[in-house]
Amino acid sequence: MNKEMDTEVDHCGLDGHERKSHHSDKLKADLTKRLNRIEGQVRGVKGLIEKDTYCDDVLHQIAAIQSALNGVGKLLLAGHLKSCVVERIQEGDMDVVDELLKTMNTLMK
């Protein structure tokens, strides 16, 4: 892997029998910032419902939250493909392809 990729994407390794992702500080900060914003949006929607806000307005906010979550998923998926999946294939572990297909099916629901 090149040096630039090491600082930008997550790396998967084994800790005992459990696979773990090791995210760069930059990626962790970006994901945390995005998730904090999403958390605030969800709280905002709860408040809108409590205030009996017009349904269409609430639905637009929910769509924005879903879009933001998809953005987080895309970042994680890109890192996963560039590191974990590549590494496991290079190690001869082709089970990662089936695992990835299951994950993609889950994300596309």
Side-chain angles (χ1 to χ4, degrees):
M1 243 183 257
N2 67 35
K3 193 172 191 173
E4 183 179 303
M5 187 183 290
D6 285 343
T7 61
E8 296 297 323
V9 299
D10 59 305
H11 302 281
C12 299
L14 290 176
D15 182 12
H17 296 288
E18 180 182 339
R19 289 196 181 275
K20 291 195 174 194
S21 233
H22 304 286
H23 304 292
S24 70
D25 289 340
K26 181 181 177 185
L27 182 60
K28 279 184 188 180
D30 187 19
L31 292 171
T32 300
K33 180 179 173 182
R34 287 169 180 252
L35 290 169
N36 285 338
R37 191 177 311 125
I38 291 166
E39 185 179 20
Q41 288 176 298
V42 170
R43 281 193 305 271
V45 166
K46 181 181 175 188
L48 292 175
I49 290 171
E50 289 169 350
K51 294 176 188 172
D52 294 320
T53 302
Y54 184 61
C55 297
D56 193 57
D57 295 336
V58 177
L59 290 168
H60 279 91
Q61 291 303 311
I62 291 171
I65 293 167
Q66 288 171 329
S67 179
L69 280 171
N70 286 338
V72 170
K74 286 176 188 178
L75 279 177
L76 284 171
L77 180 59
H80 183 57
L81 286 169
K82 291 178 181 179
S83 62
C84 303
V85 173
V86 169
E87 288 172 12
R88 287 179 61 189
I89 288 172
Q90 288 173 341
E91 293 168 358
D93 182 359
M94 297 306 292
D95 290 340
V96 70
V97 175
D98 289 330
E99 177 185 283
L100 181 61
L101 289 171
K102 287 179 187 174
T103 298
M104 295 296 296
N105 282 329
T106 299
L107 288 171
M108 295 176 128
K109 284 185 179 177

